[in-house]
Amino acid sequence: MKEKIRETATQLFLERGFKSITMDDLANEIGMSKKTIYTEYSNKTELIEDCVMNKFCSLSDGIDLIIAMDKNPIEELYEIKKYVMSHLNDEKSSPQFQLMKYYPKIYKNVKAMHFNKMQKCVLHNVQRGVQQEIYRDNLDTEFVARIYYSGMNSIKDQNIFPIDHFPVSKLMDAFLEYHLRGIVTPKGKNILNSIINSNQQ
């Protein structure tokens, strides 16, 4: 029961945003009474927190599986991007900024978890890329990992990148290419160009 509520609520929140979905909307979508939902969740905030944390853990596990495949670091970043995008509905409703505005405590918690996860993944990615000579050996790896995290969050701000001018999937591709072209070696550039060309076909 709880899993069905969480799964449906997560889908609705990603499609239409945390603010616009009411408990009545959720009850109608599932086909159960609001009272039944309240036996599992005492309020909407508790439901949102469970949905957000569950989604984060699910994405985190999926990213770990991609990393375990031991692809080259450039390909790994593209695989992670593709995986995350497929599970966030292209973030049409800008859930991150709705969370920040209306549920700041939940946002603060998930942001800290997101930073720690992303920092660890990207730092490891950069270090592997340097070892494999596809990223430049003079990189400050800690700086690169943090600027990547910062940039990835900034492009989600629809005040700066309005979705009608910058569709999310194209924006993510553009940012990833921008990031990688700044750190690759000639060897890495060949790999990057090959991936970009294959994605455009």
Side-chain angles (χ1 to χ4, degrees):
M1 176 73 74
K2 191 168 188 174
E3 191 174 325
K4 185 178 181 182
I5 295 169
R6 183 200 299 129
E7 190 177 307
T8 306
T10 300
Q11 193 70 20
L12 289 174
F13 290 145
L14 287 174
E15 286 174 0
R16 287 148 58 186
F18 294 108
K19 184 67 176 173
S20 61
I21 295 297
T22 66
M23 295 300 248
D24 285 314
D25 293 331
L26 179 57
N28 290 335
E29 184 72 24
I30 300 173
M32 66 172 59
S33 70
K34 196 162 63 169
K35 186 178 178 181
T36 305
I37 296 175
Y38 280 120
T39 61
E40 300 290 348
Y41 297 97
S42 59
N43 55 53
K44 184 180 172 184
T45 301
E46 186 181 307
L47 171 62
I48 288 174
E49 183 168 25
D50 189 35
C51 290
V52 169
M53 293 306 173
N54 184 262
K55 193 67 175 176
F56 175 85
C57 292
S58 173
L59 286 171
S60 186
D61 290 344
I63 288 169
D64 287 342
L65 288 174
I66 291 170
I67 292 171
M69 293 166 74
D70 205 30
K71 294 174 179 282
N72 78 65
I74 296 173
E75 191 177 357
E76 179 181 274
L77 286 182
Y78 273 95
E79 285 296 319
I80 290 173
K81 188 258 330 175
K82 187 164 65 174
Y83 171 76
V84 171
M85 290 295 294
S86 72
H87 284 78
L88 290 181
N89 297 352
D90 286 350
E91 294 195 339
K92 296 180 184 72
S93 60
S94 189
Q96 176 179 314
F97 282 88
Q98 285 202 14
L99 208 58
M100 181 171 60
K101 184 174 181 180
Y102 300 112
Y103 301 93
K105 187 177 178 183
I106 299 173
Y107 173 78
K108 185 178 179 182
N109 289 340
V110 79
K111 184 182 178 185
M113 291 166 63
H114 182 229
F115 173 77
N116 290 333
K117 178 68 180 180
M118 204 163 167
Q119 184 72 1
K120 182 181 174 185
C121 291
V122 178
L123 191 61
H124 181 60
N125 179 278
V126 176
Q127 290 167 344
R128 284 178 57 235
V130 171
Q131 290 168 0
Q132 295 177 26
E133 299 181 348
I134 60 176
Y135 296 161
R136 291 185 286 108
D137 62 7
N138 62 342
L139 295 174
D140 180 335
T141 55
E142 190 75 33
F143 170 79
V144 171
R146 286 171 184 265
I147 204 71
Y148 182 82
Y149 170 84
S150 179
M152 191 62 80
N153 277 291
S154 294
I155 64 170
K156 293 174 184 175
D157 186 343
Q158 292 184 12
N159 292 317
I160 301 173
F161 296 99
I163 201 162
D164 53 334
H165 282 85
F166 300 96
V168 178
S169 58
K170 289 186 178 179
L171 189 59
M172 294 284 281
D173 278 334
F175 175 75
L176 194 48
E177 181 179 352
Y178 177 83
H179 163 74
L180 286 165
R181 289 208 183 278
I183 65 174
V184 292
T185 60
K187 178 182 174 183
K189 186 178 178 183
N190 289 335
I191 295 170
L192 175 60
N193 287 339
S194 175
I195 291 172
I196 291 170
N197 289 337
S198 66
N199 285 344
Q200 289 173 345
Q201 290 173 359

